[in-house]
Amino acid sequence: MPVNPWIFGIAFSATIASFAQVLLKKSAMEKHESFIREYLNIKVIAGYAIMFVGMFVNIYVYSRGVEYKNGPVMESIGNIWVVFLSFLFFKEPVTKKKILGNILIIAGILIFYM
């Protein structure tokens, strides 16, 4: 069964969303001087802007003929990115459970496309 090359766009969209989540979490971890500044700062605005880019990438690749059943499978790549980026930016430990979870996600993706 040939794989539609546009599904990699969904994986790219999930990657973009993961980076946006990092920006939003970084902002949430900071102390802000007011309620307004908590929601109107460069990290939050950039995070949501990146999320919108990811959404438009998704819309574009679905309009190019990606079947809807492929979306959730490829979006799960975002979970893998979140573990990696959390370790990189927040020094969160990568536990055995996280590694096992990522292995299961990758195995599920591979099995789905066999």
Side-chain angles (χ1 to χ4, degrees):
M1 176 176 135
V3 176
N4 185 337
W6 288 103
I7 64 169
F8 296 108
I10 297 173
F12 178 66
S13 172
T15 302
I16 290 171
S18 299
F19 278 96
Q21 288 176 15
V22 167
L23 274 175
L24 293 171
K25 184 173 180 176
K26 276 199 160 294
S27 177
M29 294 172 67
E30 294 174 353
K31 182 76 175 160
H32 298 282
E33 52 200 52
S34 71
F35 179 77
I36 298 295
R37 291 265 186 213
E38 189 172 340
Y39 296 99
L40 292 177
N41 63 64
I42 190 67
K43 289 178 183 168
V44 170
I45 294 168
Y48 282 115
I50 293 170
M51 282 280 196
F52 277 114
V53 169
M55 180 186 67
F56 287 118
V57 169
N58 254 345
I59 292 169
Y60 182 75
V61 296
Y62 279 124
S63 71
R64 293 291 173 203
V66 172
E67 296 179 23
Y68 291 123
K69 68 179 181 180
N70 292 312
V73 176
M74 294 309 290
E75 283 286 335
S76 64
I77 288 175
N79 296 321
I80 297 167
W81 275 111
V82 167
V83 170
F84 174 73
L85 295 174
S86 295
F87 171 74
L88 190 65
F89 290 105
F90 304 116
K91 307 300 182 224
E92 291 182 5
V94 179
T95 63
K96 290 179 184 178
K97 287 183 180 182
K98 290 179 183 178
I99 293 171
L100 178 61
N102 281 340
I103 290 170
L104 290 173
I105 289 169
I106 293 168
I109 292 169
L110 294 175
I111 290 169
F112 182 80
Y113 285 110
M114 288 181 127

